Amino acid sequence: MKENDKTLKVRKIIEATKLISSDYNIQVSVLPSFVHIPDEIALIFDEVINGYKFLFNTGLIDEIQYCKLKILDERLNALSSEAWSMDSLENSEEWNMIRNTAKEVLQSFNESIETEPELFWINYVQKGS
């Protein structure tokens, strides 16, 4: 993997984490209305998190970042079946805990928790387009 590819992978992890850490209103505004937003948030993170152990092993992320990403990944995977609704995404303590964990990840990367996510690598195509 080229250095530029590694840097891009880290950037995607950061942006996907920003999406998780964002308030409900931002999450809804940056994703298209035709997706199931709680699922899409998790799917985007799952897509970019693939290989974070490799990034740690190659020194692109440090041990603290690796551990925090692992905790966030585990907490997302442990969400209850009730957590996957829009109401839960907006109001549940489970999602608030996930958002706080994501903010800790961003802090470990010295990233602002105040900026909106930029999902520059994702293109959505609606049926019939």
Side-chain angles (χ1 to χ4, degrees):
M1 185 181 278
K2 296 178 189 173
E3 196 61 35
N4 286 348
D5 293 340
K6 292 177 189 175
T7 303
L8 180 61
K9 186 151 181 65
V10 172
R11 186 81 244 148
K12 288 178 180 179
I13 289 171
I14 290 167
E15 296 303 325
T17 304
K18 282 183 183 180
L19 177 62
I20 296 169
S21 74
S22 296
D23 291 335
Y24 172 83
N25 293 333
I26 292 172
Q27 292 170 326
V28 171
S29 73
V30 299
L31 294 172
S33 61
F34 61 85
V35 301
H36 186 263
I37 292 173
D39 288 346
E40 192 69 11
I41 291 167
L43 289 169
I44 290 169
F45 185 72
D46 190 54
E47 172 195 328
V48 301
I49 201 73
N50 185 9
Y52 70 103
K53 187 172 185 177
F54 170 78
L55 295 174
F56 171 66
N57 289 338
T58 58
L60 213 60
I61 63 173
D62 63 32
E63 185 173 3
I64 292 170
Q65 293 163 334
Y66 172 79
C67 291
K68 290 190 179 293
L69 284 167
K70 185 175 179 183
I71 290 168
L72 178 57
D73 189 34
E74 289 169 351
R75 288 189 175 163
L76 273 170
N77 288 324
L79 281 171
S80 71
S81 59
E82 294 82 25
W84 298 101
S85 70
M86 292 297 288
D87 181 58
S88 183
L89 179 65
E90 183 176 16
N91 299 308
S92 78
E93 191 54 43
E94 276 186 289
W95 274 103
N96 286 334
M97 182 184 73
I98 295 289
R99 286 184 181 95
N100 288 333
T101 303
K103 288 174 184 172
E104 291 175 13
V105 171
L106 292 172
Q107 289 170 341
S108 75
F109 282 93
N110 295 318
E111 286 288 329
S112 172
I113 59 174
E114 301 302 321
T115 59
E116 286 191 17
E118 296 179 24
L119 306 176
F120 58 88
W121 70 98
I122 301 174
N123 292 309
Y124 291 97
V125 179
Q126 277 187 281
K127 185 177 178 179
S129 293

